[in-house]
Amino acid sequence: MLRVSASEDFDWTKNDRTSFYYGTFPTGFSWGAGSSAYQTEGAWNIDGKGMSIWDAFSHKKGKIFLNDTGDFSCEGYYKFKDDVSLMKDMKLNHYRFSISWPRILPSGLTGEHINEKGIKYYDDLINMLLENKITPIVTLYHWDLPQVLQEKYGGWQNITMVNHFNDFANLCFERFGNRVKNWITFNNPWSIAVEGYETGEHAPGLRLRGSGAYRAAHHIIKAHAKVWHTYDMQWRSKQKGLVGISLTADWGEPVDISNQRDIEAAERYIQFYMGWFATPLFNGDYPQVMKDYIGRKSGQQGLGASRLPVFSPQEKSYIKGTCDFLGLGHFTTRYVTQRNYPSGLGDSYFTDRDLAELVDPQWPDPGSEWLYSVPWGFRRVLNFVKTQYGNPMIYVTENGVSEKMLCTDLCDDWRMQYFKDYINEMLKALKDGVNVKGYTAWSLLDNFEWDEGYSERFGLYYVDFRSKTKPRYPKASVQYYKRIISSNGFPNQREVESWKRKALETCSSSNQLLAADPLIGHMEMVTEIVVPTVCTLCILLSAVFLMFLLRGRL
Ligand code: NOJ
C-alpha cells in the first residue's frame, strides 16, 4: 500500500513538504546527464545506418509538431567530442546515452550485416568518455527499433522480437562490454507500450486499444529477462557489470488521504505505471490489482481470457530477480481519485484503471503540458520503490524540466529551482534509507522531444537548431548543477542561497551571444547561396571577356 515507513524526523506526514534539508550525498554518489540516440545523434542515413521506426514515423506528415524530424537534431554523431568537453567542464561522473540498434544492425539482425562504422562511432564515444573519467551508462533500447523488424514482424507485438533483441544486446556486450559496466535494457517501456501501441502518438503509431500495450509490454519484459540471463551466463564473470532497466514513474497521491477509495485509486495509478514492469522483475508476476481489474473487465466484455497476458510458472521464475539495479525516470505527480469506467465502452489501458488524474493549478508548469513541478512526489516514489521491491539499488536515470520553444532565455531560474527542490527530495529519500546511487539530469542538450518535435527544451545546454552548426549555449542551470556536483549536495543555507545569483550573473552574456545568432545563421545561408552564384557569374564574365580579346587579335 501507499503507506511507507520513514524515520521520525523525515516522516512526511509530520514534516512540512516544502522544508529544505541541508546536507550532502554519500561519497561516491554519481552525478550525470542523459541523452538518447534518436533524440540527439542526427545522421539518420549516414555511414550505413538503417532506418528506425522513428525515422519512418517522423517522415510521415502530421505525426510530429511542425512535421519536425530527428534527421539532423543536435548532430551529436559529429559533435560528440565537443559534448564530452561540456560534460567534463561540468565534472559529470557519468553520461547516460543510448545505442541506436539500426546504426549497428541496419536490418536489425545479427545474422545479416554488422555496420562497423556504427560500432566505431560508439567505440569512439565510449573511449572519449573513459579518457575523461566519465562513466558510460548505456541504454540498449531508447525506442528506435529497426524499421525492418516493424515491417516484417509487427515490432513488439511479436514474440520473435525477444530473440532479435537478445542477439543485438549480446553483440553490444561483446563489442563494448569490456568498457561499459552499466547497461540499461529498455528505457521507459510504459511509453513504448502505451504511446507506441495503444494511443499511437509515438512510433510505430499503432492504436490497438485495450490489448496492444499489454502484449508489447509482455514481450518487452521477456526480452529484458532474456538479456539479463545472457549477460549473467556469458559475460558477467568476465566483464563484471550490471544490467538494469529504466522505468518512468510519476507519483500518484490520493486526492483525499482519508478516503479508502482514493487511496486504492492512487495505488492502481502507480501499479499500472511502474508496477506493471517492476513487479514481474522483482516479484515474479504482474501486480495483483492489474490482474484483477483487466481480468474482470475482459470477462464483462465477453472475452474468454484476460487481455493481460499470463506468465507461466517457469516464466515467472525466469523473470523474477532479473534487475541488478532499477533505473528510475521521474518528472511529475498527479492527484488521483476513483472513477468508474463501465466495461464495453471502448476498453483501453486508461479505462481499465478506473481512476481520474488531477493536478493542482498552483503547481508550477513551465514547459511541457504534462509536467508540473511537484518535488515532494519524488521522495514518495523513491520510498515506494524501497518498500515494494526490497530496497533495490536505484539510479535516477531521468529527472528534469522543459521550457517552451519560444523561450530563448538562458537565465532559466525555474529549472534551477526544479533541480534544487527535486534533488533535495532525493536527499531526504536517501536519509529515509532509499538506496539511490546516482542521479542523471535530463537532458544534457535540448533535443528532439518525440511527437513534440523541438518545441519543448529539456536541455542544460540550449541548442540553436536554426543554425547549421547547432551551437550549444549553457543555460544558467549548468552553473547551478555544477555547484550541486562540486559540493555533492547542499552544504549550508548561506552558500546555497548564493548559487542562483551567481549562476544568473553568467547567463546574461550567453544570452547576448544567442541573440546575435540569427545573424550568423543568416550569413551562413547567404554564403551558401550568394557566394557560389557570384563566383559562377565571375567565371562566365571572364570567359566572355577573354573571347572578345581573342577575337580582336585574330
Ligand atoms: C522520458 C523519455 O525517456 C525521454 O526520451 C524524454 O525526452 C523525457 N521523458 C521527457 O519527456
Side-chain angles (χ1 to χ4, degrees):
M1 293 304 286
L2 288 172
R3 260 168 257 112
V4 295
S5 62
S7 63
E8 188 76 354
D9 50 334
F10 293 101
D11 183 349
W12 52 65
T13 55
K14 295 195 182 125
N15 207 354
D16 177 7
R17 278 176 181 175
T18 55
S19 70
F20 197 82
Y21 179 78
Y22 288 95
T24 52
F25 285 82
T27 319
F29 189 84
S30 192
W31 298 100
S35 74
S36 86
Y38 187 72
Q39 290 180 280
T40 48
E41 283 176 5
W44 72 284
N45 59 354
I46 299 294
D47 287 344
K49 176 181 168 291
M51 275 261 245
S52 81
I53 54 172
W54 271 95
D55 292 313
F57 189 70
S58 68
H59 288 171
K60 282 188 200 145
K61 292 277 167 275
K63 299 293 180 191
I64 312 292
F65 183 71
L66 295 180
N67 288 321
D68 270 324
T69 72
D71 289 2
F72 306 102
S73 190
C74 313
E75 304 274 21
Y77 187 70
Y78 304 103
K79 298 192 67 151
F80 74 91
K81 287 188 183 146
D82 299 351
D83 292 339
V84 176
S85 304
L86 302 180
M87 296 173 216
K88 192 180 176 194
D89 175 63
M90 288 169 77
K91 301 220 165 48
L92 295 189
N93 305 113
H94 69 259
Y95 177 50
R96 175 183 177 223
F97 66 93
S98 77
I99 294 179
S100 158
W101 183 347
R103 194 178 288 292
I104 67 172
L105 292 174
S107 71
L109 307 174
T110 42
E112 294 178 21
H113 174 60
I114 297 178
N115 183 25
E116 292 299 334
K117 283 191 177 159
I119 300 250
K120 181 172 182 312
Y121 165 69
Y122 295 110
D123 265 338
D124 291 348
L125 171 59
I126 292 165
N127 292 343
M128 183 90 198
L129 288 168
L130 292 174
E131 276 160 29
N132 288 285
K133 303 204 166 38
I134 300 168
T135 304
I137 298 189
V138 180
T139 309
L140 291 166
Y141 190 86
H142 203 123
W143 308 355
D144 43 359
L145 185 78
Q147 173 67 7
V148 185
L149 299 183
Q150 190 66 45
E151 284 168 13
K152 261 197 196 163
Y153 304 103
W156 292 104
Q157 289 302 292
N158 194 313
I159 186 74
T160 59
M161 222 48 54
V162 174
N163 287 335
H164 301 320
F165 182 64
N166 185 58
D167 291 344
F168 160 62
N170 197 40
L171 177 68
C172 292
F173 297 150
E174 183 192 326
R175 296 298 191 93
F176 310 120
N178 56 345
R179 288 154 295 154
V180 174
K181 305 295 163 194
N182 296 282
W183 294 101
I184 291 168
T185 53
F186 288 92
N187 173 72
N188 193 353
W190 180 91
S191 200
I192 304 169
V194 173
E195 293 175 298
Y197 293 88
E198 172 99 19
T199 67
E201 292 157 279
H202 282 186
L206 299 176
R207 296 198 177 95
L208 309 167
R209 290 202 194 271
S211 61
Y214 297 133
R215 196 176 306 117
H218 202 64
H219 298 152
I220 288 171
I221 292 165
K222 286 185 178 182
H224 163 88
K226 178 144 193 174
V227 166
W228 184 90
H229 281 286
T230 297
Y231 191 81
D232 204 45
M233 300 274 291
Q234 295 180 37
W235 303 102
R236 192 188 293 281
S237 59
K238 264 180 268 162
Q239 299 185 346
K240 306 204 169 20
L242 301 173
V243 177
I245 192 166
S246 177
L247 304 181
T248 298
D250 296 346
W251 178 248
E253 179 78 359
V255 167
D256 175 358
I257 50 162
S258 62
N259 178 335
Q260 190 56 28
R261 281 154 55 94
D262 281 2
I263 294 174
E264 284 170 16
E267 166 92 15
R268 282 200 301 283
Y269 178 78
I270 298 166
Q271 296 296 4
F272 270 74
Y273 208 147
M274 175 170 57
W276 184 5
F277 301 91
T279 318
L281 303 185
F282 288 101
N283 303 339
D285 199 2
Y286 289 121
Q288 190 59 42
V289 76
M290 285 187 83
K291 294 199 280 186
D292 292 348
Y293 270 66
I294 304 163
R296 178 169 48 79
K297 291 192 177 223
S298 305
Q300 286 164 356
Q301 278 178 276
L303 299 174
S306 175
R307 285 180 278 107
L308 183 70
V310 176
F311 292 120
S312 71
Q314 291 82 350
E315 285 169 344
K316 284 181 195 167
S317 56
Y318 183 77
I319 290 165
K320 185 176 172 174
T322 57
C323 229
D324 300 325
F325 67 90
L326 178 65
L328 187 70
H330 174 80
F331 292 88
T332 193
T333 283
R334 293 285 180 271
Y335 279 118
V336 182
T337 189
Q338 154 86 25
R339 176 169 169 186
N340 279 340
Y341 287 93
S343 189
L345 301 171
D347 295 84
S348 76
Y349 163 84
F350 292 100
T351 58
D352 282 341
R353 303 177 305 172
D354 275 350
L355 59 85
E357 299 173 35
L358 298 104
V359 293
D360 181 339
Q362 300 205 325
W363 287 342
D365 174 24
S368 312
E369 204 196 344
W370 52 271
L371 207 172
Y372 294 81
S373 174
V374 194
W376 51 263
F378 194 19
R379 182 182 181 185
R380 280 163 157 65
V381 89
L382 286 163
N383 271 281
F384 182 86
V385 169
K386 173 182 165 224
T387 41
Q388 288 266 316
Y389 311 120
N391 203 11
M393 186 201 291
I394 300 175
Y395 276 89
V396 174
T397 39
E398 285 183 20
N399 177 243
V401 66
S402 53
E403 67 245 9
K404 300 262 192 290
M405 171 171 59
L406 292 175
C407 174
T408 50
D409 189 357
L410 299 174
C411 300
D412 55 345
D413 49 346
W414 65 93
R415 183 173 286 104
M416 292 193 271
Q417 194 64 40
Y418 181 99
F419 280 137
K420 179 184 179 201
D421 292 341
Y422 270 75
I423 292 173
N424 197 247
E425 291 299 313
M426 175 174 69
L427 180 58
K428 292 179 191 171
L430 247 130
K431 302 286 169 193
D432 296 333
V434 181
N435 189 11
V436 194
K437 294 290 187 200
Y439 173 87
T440 317
W442 187 265
S443 47
L444 179 71
L445 306 174
D446 289 340
N447 57 38
F448 179 81
E449 179 56 20
W450 308 112
D451 53 321
E452 302 298 341
Y454 295 98
S455 65
E456 293 174 11
R457 296 172 171 272
F458 277 84
L460 286 159
Y461 282 86
Y462 182 96
V463 177
D464 188 354
F465 294 108
R466 298 163 304 176
S467 167
K468 254 189 149 185
T469 55
K470 318 285 176 189
R472 285 85 159 118
Y473 298 90
K475 300 179 192 174
S477 47
V478 168
Q479 292 303 323
Y480 198 87
Y481 189 39
K482 255 172 107 165
R483 290 189 191 269
I484 296 180
I485 296 173
S486 65
S487 311
N488 199 25
F490 306 96
N492 60 64
Q493 187 167 3
R494 217 167 60 97
E495 208 180 319
V496 172
E497 275 172 7
S498 73
W499 288 353
K500 233 189 201 182
R501 186 176 34 80
K502 288 182 185 155
L504 289 172
E505 278 163 16
T506 56
C507 62
S508 47
S509 51
S510 312
N511 255 343
Q512 283 165 13
L513 272 176
L514 177 62
D517 196 58
L519 275 181
I520 299 166
H522 178 65
M523 270 153 54
E524 277 179 1
M525 275 171 51
V526 169
T527 326
E528 275 159 33
I529 303 161
V530 177
V531 173
T533 320
V534 170
C535 288
T536 325
L537 273 175
C538 285
I539 294 165
L540 274 173
L541 282 175
S542 337
V544 172
F545 186 63
L546 210 74
M547 273 172 62
F548 265 115
L549 270 182
L550 289 173
R551 267 199 197 162
R553 275 197 192 168
L554 288 172

